[in-house]
């Protein structure tokens, strides 16, 4: 059972996340800068009194996850693209994680309908005692019923205070897992699908825009040590964007070149780790939907509706 105060934080984070998610939809248009969208989302979250649980992800077409603009990103939303926006808010460490897919070509509307339906059916089934793998089979069946293929190697995840991915996962396909969902647990459920002709699998690209603190390294040079301490203090173990380190508001008082060196050092020593951009292996278009739920006595409370 979660305490009342904790649930209040989850609900506040969820409300902010859903408001921002519903508004950003209207911003996603051909030729709009991805950096502008990321900044807009992140500023809106802060304006509404939330904190950033992770950088705004904006993934185009076959890119499924972990793309967020770098500080000088000049990429724009391509014509007829399928755009996933995934955003995270926390209030006192209690996280809301939610995502939508926006289609600029109506040809792909069916994918969005199917992914939303898969998420809806999964949420309907959540209650204490149900196997996580059962949720996965519901997601797979729903996606396949509409003629698409689930992405097998991406999954929903449990969340705890200041920890985005932890504990149990919720697969997007049928598995043999035995773990069960319990009352008071919090999950992000996030089905992904691609076209039936796709492989249904994501693979890491050689680009990374999102990082998180991993462990304290004791023998870093002075700048790197300072950066490590700042990262630890500022982001806890939550994911952050390298772009944030260059924002004056973040108080990382480094000149650009020193920052680059310090950053390479903390990365090389594994004081921080990165999340490489993930794309569908056969280059097929991907759609995603995501909500955060708190498991209650008889079902679940969706905080990001
Ligand atoms: Mn997400
Ligand atoms: Mn998630």
């Amino acid at each position: 059972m979660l305490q009342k105060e904790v649930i209040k934080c989850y609900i506040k984070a969820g409300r902010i996340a859903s408001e921002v998610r519903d508004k950003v939809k209207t911003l996603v248009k051909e030729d709009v800068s991805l950096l502008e969208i990321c900044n807009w989302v992140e500023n809106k979250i802060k304006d509404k009194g939330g904190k950033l649980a992770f950088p705004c992800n904006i993934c185009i077409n076959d890119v499924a996850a972990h793309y967020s603009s770098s500080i000088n990103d000049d990429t724009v939303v391509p014509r007829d693209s399928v755009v996933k926006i995934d955003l995270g808010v926390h209030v006192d460490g209690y996280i809301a994680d939610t995502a939508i897919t926006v289609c600029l070509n109506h040809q792909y509307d069916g994918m969005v309908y199917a992914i939303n339906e898969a998420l809806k059916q999964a949420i309907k089934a959540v209650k204490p005692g149900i196997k996580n793998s059962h949720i996965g089979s519901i997601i797979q069946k729903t996606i396949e019923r509409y003629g698409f293929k689930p992405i097998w190697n991406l999954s929903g995840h449990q969340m705890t205070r200041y920890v985005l991915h932890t504990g149990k996962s919720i697969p997007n396909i049928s598995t043999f897992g035995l773990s069960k969902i319990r009352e008071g647990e919090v999950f992000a459920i996030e089905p992904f699908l691609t076209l039936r002709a796709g492989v249904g699998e994501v693979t890491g690209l050689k680009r990374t825009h999102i990082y998180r603190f991993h462990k304290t390294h004791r023998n870093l040079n002075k700048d790197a040590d300072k950066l490590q301490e700042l990262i630890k203090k500022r982001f806890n173990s939550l994911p952050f964007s390298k772009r944030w380190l260059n924002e004056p508001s973040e108080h990382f008082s480094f000149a650009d070149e020193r920052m680059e060196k310090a950053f390479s050092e903390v990365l090389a020593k594994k004081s921080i780790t990165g999340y490489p951009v993930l794309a569908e292996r056969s280059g097929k278009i991907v759609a995603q939907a995501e909500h955060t739920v708190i498991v209650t006595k008889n079902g679940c409370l969706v905080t990001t509706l």
Side-chain angles (χ1 to χ4, degrees):
M1 272 286 281
L2 295 178
Q3 287 175 331
K4 249 191 182 160
E5 289 308 308
V6 170
I7 293 176
K8 260 191 195 169
C9 291
Y10 272 120
I11 287 174
K12 185 178 175 192
R15 182 177 47 77
I16 295 169
S18 66
E19 284 172 8
V20 176
R21 180 201 61 218
D22 290 344
K23 272 204 180 146
V24 74
K25 258 192 272 194
T26 59
L27 244 80
V28 179
K29 293 203 170 86
E30 183 181 344
D31 281 341
V32 174
S33 131
L34 302 193
L35 178 59
E36 222 174 280
I37 295 173
C38 288
N39 281 330
W40 187 90
V41 164
E42 292 168 7
N43 288 332
K44 250 315 177 250
I45 290 171
K46 292 187 228 170
D47 288 350
K48 287 176 182 284
K51 289 192 169 155
L52 305 176
F54 53 82
C56 173
N57 285 223
I58 178 161
C59 297
I60 310 282
N61 294 337
D62 60 313
V63 176
H66 302 165
Y67 184 94
S68 185
S69 283
S70 55
I71 195 142
N72 47 15
D73 190 5
D74 55 8
T75 318
V76 295
V77 174
R79 179 180 203 147
D80 289 338
S81 53
V82 172
V83 183
K84 281 79 65 189
I85 307 263
D86 190 334
L87 56 99
V89 179
H90 79 84
V91 170
D92 203 21
Y94 301 106
I95 302 167
D97 181 0
T98 186
I100 43 153
T101 299
V102 180
C103 280
L104 298 184
N105 182 336
H106 291 304
Q107 186 193 336
Y108 300 113
D109 285 353
M111 295 179 93
V112 176
Y113 187 84
I115 205 67
N116 287 337
E117 202 55 31
L119 179 57
K120 199 164 119 191
Q121 296 304 327
I123 287 171
K124 250 196 214 171
V126 173
K127 62 178 179 190
I130 197 166
K131 281 185 197 153
N132 303 45
S133 57
H134 181 65
I135 309 280
S137 80
I138 289 172
I139 290 172
Q140 175 169 15
K141 273 184 201 147
T142 310
I143 288 173
E144 287 174 351
R145 194 188 315 136
Y146 290 98
F148 298 103
K149 189 177 277 183
I151 306 265
W152 74 269
N153 61 345
L154 285 172
S155 55
H157 48 98
Q158 200 177 345
M159 300 189 285
T160 52
R161 195 177 185 200
Y162 287 111
V163 189
L164 182 60
H165 299 114
T166 187
K168 304 170 188 174
S169 59
I170 297 188
N172 289 328
I173 55 161
S174 182
T175 63
F176 295 104
L178 294 173
S179 94
K180 285 178 181 170
I181 284 169
R182 311 232 170 263
E183 186 180 356
E185 291 176 340
V186 179
F187 289 95
I189 306 179
E190 50 180 320
F192 287 81
L193 65 73
T194 188
L195 299 176
R196 190 150 46 182
V199 180
E201 179 179 302
V202 290
T203 181
L205 304 183
K206 285 193 183 97
R207 284 180 282 148
T208 303
H209 308 283
I210 300 173
Y211 300 86
R212 75 176 181 87
F213 174 73
H214 177 53
K215 61 175 194 288
T216 303
H217 195 282
R218 308 232 169 255
N219 293 308
L220 296 173
N221 68 42
K222 214 171 158 204
D223 276 359
D225 189 59
K226 191 175 168 200
L227 182 62
Q228 168 178 262
E229 287 311 306
L230 283 167
I231 285 172
K232 204 160 60 167
K233 206 171 133 199
R234 180 107 186 117
F235 307 123
N236 214 309
S237 59
L238 291 174
F240 64 90
S241 167
K242 198 178 168 193
R243 164 170 49 88
W244 297 351
L245 304 181
N246 296 79
E247 284 169 4
S249 59
E250 299 288 341
H251 308 295
F252 292 93
S253 53
F254 282 98
D256 286 358
E257 204 178 307
R258 273 176 69 189
M259 171 62 87
E260 279 306 316
K261 272 194 184 154
F263 193 86
S264 305
E265 168 96 359
V266 292
L267 190 59
K269 296 283 169 59
K270 297 196 167 63
S271 165
I272 62 170
T273 61
Y275 298 86
V277 174
L278 299 174
E280 209 283 323
R281 196 151 69 79
S282 54
K284 294 288 188 285
I285 287 182
V286 173
Q288 174 200 15
E290 181 173 26
H291 274 310
T292 295
V293 304
I294 301 175
V295 184
T296 56
K297 197 161 186 260
N298 302 309
C300 69
L301 171 70
V302 185
T303 66
T304 49
L305 263 191

